Short mmCIF file of all heavy atoms in Angstrom, two decimals:
data_model
loop_
_atom_site.label_atom_id
_atom_site.label_comp_id
_atom_site.label_asym_id
_atom_site.label_seq_id
_atom_site.Cartn_x
_atom_site.Cartn_y
_atom_site.Cartn_z
N LYS G 137 97.28 -118.77 93.85
CA LYS G 137 98.71 -119.25 93.79
C LYS G 137 98.89 -120.62 94.33
O LYS G 137 98.15 -121.06 95.24
CB LYS G 137 99.54 -118.29 94.52
CG LYS G 137 99.56 -116.87 94.17
CD LYS G 137 100.47 -115.89 94.88
CE LYS G 137 100.39 -114.45 94.45
NZ LYS G 137 101.23 -113.74 95.37
N LYS G 138 99.83 -121.44 93.80
CA LYS G 138 100.18 -122.77 94.34
C LYS G 138 100.98 -122.62 95.62
O LYS G 138 101.80 -121.64 95.70
CB LYS G 138 100.88 -123.53 93.28
CG LYS G 138 100.06 -123.91 92.02
CD LYS G 138 100.87 -124.74 91.10
CE LYS G 138 100.04 -125.24 89.88
NZ LYS G 138 99.86 -124.11 88.91
N TYR G 139 100.86 -123.58 96.43
CA TYR G 139 101.68 -123.72 97.70
C TYR G 139 101.81 -125.09 98.12
O TYR G 139 100.90 -125.80 98.41
CB TYR G 139 101.08 -122.93 98.76
CG TYR G 139 102.05 -122.96 100.00
CD1 TYR G 139 103.13 -122.16 100.07
CD2 TYR G 139 101.69 -123.75 101.11
CE1 TYR G 139 104.06 -122.23 101.11
CE2 TYR G 139 102.72 -123.78 102.24
CZ TYR G 139 103.75 -123.04 102.30
OH TYR G 139 104.54 -123.14 103.30
N PHE G 140 103.10 -125.56 97.99
CA PHE G 140 103.39 -126.96 98.38
C PHE G 140 104.60 -127.00 99.38
O PHE G 140 105.46 -127.90 99.47
CB PHE G 140 103.79 -127.76 97.28
CG PHE G 140 102.52 -127.97 96.35
CD1 PHE G 140 102.29 -127.16 95.33
CD2 PHE G 140 101.68 -129.13 96.51
CE1 PHE G 140 101.17 -127.30 94.48
CE2 PHE G 140 100.58 -129.28 95.82
CZ PHE G 140 100.30 -128.32 94.73
N GLY G 141 104.68 -125.84 100.21
CA GLY G 141 105.76 -125.80 101.22
C GLY G 141 106.88 -124.95 100.77
O GLY G 141 107.06 -124.64 99.66
N PRO G 142 107.74 -124.56 101.68
CA PRO G 142 108.84 -123.62 101.36
C PRO G 142 109.84 -124.15 100.41
O PRO G 142 110.49 -123.38 99.79
CB PRO G 142 109.41 -123.20 102.73
CG PRO G 142 108.96 -124.42 103.63
CD PRO G 142 107.62 -124.81 103.09
N ASP G 143 109.91 -125.47 100.36
CA ASP G 143 110.94 -126.13 99.45
C ASP G 143 110.56 -126.10 97.94
O ASP G 143 111.30 -126.50 97.15
CB ASP G 143 111.22 -127.47 99.94
CG ASP G 143 111.86 -127.55 101.30
OD1 ASP G 143 112.54 -126.49 101.64
OD2 ASP G 143 111.68 -128.53 102.05
N TYR G 144 109.29 -125.73 97.61
CA TYR G 144 108.75 -125.89 96.28
C TYR G 144 108.37 -124.53 95.76
O TYR G 144 107.32 -124.03 95.99
CB TYR G 144 107.60 -126.90 96.20
CG TYR G 144 108.01 -128.31 96.45
CD1 TYR G 144 107.92 -128.84 97.62
CD2 TYR G 144 108.40 -129.03 95.48
CE1 TYR G 144 108.32 -130.12 97.87
CE2 TYR G 144 108.79 -130.40 95.54
CZ TYR G 144 108.81 -130.95 96.81
OH TYR G 144 109.10 -132.18 97.00
N SER G 145 109.23 -124.02 94.93
CA SER G 145 109.00 -122.77 94.24
C SER G 145 108.14 -123.10 93.04
O SER G 145 108.05 -124.20 92.68
CB SER G 145 110.30 -122.09 93.74
OG SER G 145 110.90 -122.89 92.80
N ASP G 146 107.52 -122.07 92.41
CA ASP G 146 106.73 -122.25 91.20
C ASP G 146 107.55 -122.84 90.07
O ASP G 146 107.00 -123.83 89.36
CB ASP G 146 106.16 -120.93 90.74
CG ASP G 146 105.01 -120.40 91.56
OD1 ASP G 146 104.65 -121.07 92.35
OD2 ASP G 146 104.79 -119.12 91.44
N GLU G 147 108.68 -122.50 89.87
CA GLU G 147 109.69 -123.04 88.91
C GLU G 147 109.78 -124.49 89.20
O GLU G 147 109.94 -125.40 88.20
CB GLU G 147 110.99 -122.30 88.82
CG GLU G 147 110.87 -120.94 88.37
CD GLU G 147 110.38 -120.02 89.39
OE1 GLU G 147 110.36 -120.32 90.56
OE2 GLU G 147 109.99 -118.80 89.05
N LYS G 148 110.10 -124.91 90.43
CA LYS G 148 110.39 -126.38 90.79
C LYS G 148 109.08 -127.14 90.58
O LYS G 148 109.25 -128.33 90.10
CB LYS G 148 110.75 -126.44 92.29
CG LYS G 148 111.22 -127.90 92.63
CD LYS G 148 111.82 -127.93 94.11
CE LYS G 148 112.25 -129.39 94.41
NZ LYS G 148 112.85 -129.43 95.73
N ILE G 149 107.95 -126.60 90.87
CA ILE G 149 106.67 -127.29 90.62
C ILE G 149 106.55 -127.59 89.19
O ILE G 149 106.14 -128.68 88.78
CB ILE G 149 105.53 -126.55 91.24
CG1 ILE G 149 105.71 -126.61 92.86
CG2 ILE G 149 104.24 -127.30 90.84
CD1 ILE G 149 104.64 -125.74 93.44
N GLU G 150 106.84 -126.53 88.38
CA GLU G 150 106.56 -126.68 86.95
C GLU G 150 107.50 -127.74 86.32
O GLU G 150 107.07 -128.48 85.48
CB GLU G 150 106.94 -125.33 86.25
CG GLU G 150 106.55 -125.22 84.76
CD GLU G 150 106.76 -123.92 84.13
OE1 GLU G 150 106.85 -122.94 84.90
OE2 GLU G 150 106.91 -123.83 82.95
#
Side-chain angles (χ1 to χ4, degrees):
K137 298 178 181 179
K138 293 184 178 69
Y139 182 76
F140 292 91
D143 295 332
Y144 288 92
S145 64
D146 289 343
E147 292 77 15
K148 185 173 181 179
I149 293 171
E150 187 175 345

